[in-house]
Amino acid sequence: MFEIPKLKYTDSGNFFLMAGPCAIEGEDMAMEIAERIKTITDKLQIPWIFKGSYRKANRSRLDSFTGIGDEKALRILQKVGQEFDVPTVTDIHESGEAAMAAAYVDVLQIPAFLCRQTDLLVAAAETGKVVNIKKGQFLSGDAMRFAVDKVRESGNEKVILTDRGNSFGYSDLVVDYRNIPAMQATGAPVVMDITHSLQQPNQSSGVTGGKPALIETIAKAAIAVGADGLFIETHPQPSIAKSDGANMLPLDQLEGLMQKLIRIREAVR
């Protein structure tokens, strides 16, 4: 894989991990989560990128939590990266945000619903940062080669692809594991977004539901198929998280899950 600044243990043979809270809710919470994940990933020698959205732009209801302020949240992401010597990733939603976010983080993430937005992909590519493109819930893995081409043809070879399931009816998602090798055929590392693939969107309440009991199942299958990395949102108390709590992994379950997945990785290698 191309070099990601501050990414450690890339020679361990383990999958890499993108993990953190859904949204940056505050400095204390971000630092608590980062400290715990760092302890786990150092112990198990898992390359780790801290994930946190500085703003949640895609919400069902106007009264949903969207963030604590762009600059404030980005500075927290920057502090996490500096204090724990770890790369960081956050979403961007419009082309004008690319340069702003790139000043604070190492990886720019393109949300699934926006993976066909040419201006957004080009703007992210032109920052020179690693670009993680989430596969749209409405696309096949094969179709993601066009998103990859947009970044590469803009002069940036540092592309990651992330699957997060496909729409299955109006209020559910299903994971088609054929998408992992299909996207790997582009030459980009492929990540399975475990927690978002277990969402139940478009609920009548306007609050997305989820099936967190299946996190281990989806993660085990992804590693067995050969995913290069995993994306997991985690929180000390998902029930009080301000975004996506219904499908997050409780932080105290992360280490046990990683231990199981490392054993599967060793077996399939």
Side-chain angles (χ1 to χ4, degrees):
M1 190 173 71
F2 45 80
E3 184 176 346
I4 299 176
K6 297 181 283 187
L7 190 64
K8 299 177 181 178
Y9 308 120
T10 53
D11 58 352
S12 67
N14 284 330
F15 51 87
F16 68 97
L17 177 67
M18 292 184 180
C22 177
I24 298 298
E25 301 175 5
E27 183 175 321
D28 290 347
M29 179 64 70
M31 299 300 279
E32 176 188 349
I33 293 171
E35 183 175 20
R36 179 62 185 142
I37 299 175
K38 179 175 172 59
T39 298
I40 294 167
T41 53
D42 281 354
K43 176 182 177 180
L44 300 178
Q45 294 193 322
I46 297 173
W48 166 52
I49 303 169
F50 178 84
K51 183 270 167 183
S53 296
Y54 74 89
R55 185 187 343 134
K56 299 301 295 182
N58 176 24
R59 306 308 306 274
S60 297
R61 293 174 11 184
L62 189 61
D63 61 354
S64 296
F65 173 80
T66 58
I68 59 174
D70 291 356
E71 186 174 357
K72 183 177 181 180
L74 285 166
R75 289 191 180 280
I76 291 171
L77 282 163
Q78 184 181 54
K79 183 173 181 178
V80 168
Q82 292 172 343
E83 296 235 348
F84 296 102
D85 193 28
V86 62
T88 53
V89 57
T90 198
D91 327 60
I92 58 172
H93 317 93
E94 298 178 9
S95 55
E97 298 175 22
M100 174 185 70
Y104 296 92
V105 301
D106 304 286
V107 182
L108 298 178
Q109 181 166 287
I110 308 300
F113 283 130
L114 302 177
C115 68
R116 287 171 54 96
Q117 296 296 104
T118 300
D119 289 350
L120 181 60
L121 289 164
V122 171
E126 290 178 344
T127 66
K129 298 289 184 174
V130 178
V131 182
N132 179 35
I133 313 172
K134 285 199 167 184
K135 184 187 74 62
Q137 300 92 321
F138 44 88
L139 288 176
S140 69
D142 291 318
M144 288 302 291
R145 70 182 187 274
F146 301 112
V148 173
D149 288 346
K150 289 176 183 179
V151 174
R152 288 175 174 164
E153 290 170 15
S154 299
N156 189 339
E157 296 290 326
K158 297 178 287 187
V159 187
I160 298 171
L161 292 176
T162 296
D163 191 6
R164 46 101 76 239
N166 281 76
S167 296
F168 187 69
Y170 291 114
S171 301
D172 205 359
L173 297 166
V174 65
V175 177
D176 181 351
Y177 287 96
R178 295 176 299 178
N179 286 325
I180 292 176
M183 291 193 291
Q184 286 172 329
T186 67
V190 173
V191 173
M192 185 71 233
D193 181 344
I194 307 303
T195 46
H196 283 108
S197 67
L198 290 167
Q199 283 184 334
Q200 293 180 299
N202 305 317
Q203 300 295 306
S204 59
S205 65
V207 178
T208 297
K211 298 179 180 178
L214 291 174
I215 287 173
E216 184 171 320
T217 300
I218 299 295
K220 285 178 174 178
I223 294 300
V225 170
D228 301 291
L230 298 178
F231 181 110
I232 296 176
E233 289 185 340
T234 183
H235 193 283
Q237 295 179 271
S239 62
I240 63 170
K242 295 183 178 180
S243 177
D244 281 0
N247 49 271
M248 274 204 225
L249 178 73
L251 186 57
D252 63 5
Q253 295 179 20
L254 182 63
E255 182 172 356
L257 176 60
M258 292 299 104
Q259 290 172 334
K260 293 176 183 178
L261 298 178
I262 287 172
R263 291 197 290 273
I264 294 172
R265 174 79 165 192
E266 291 171 349
V268 298
R269 287 179 67 207

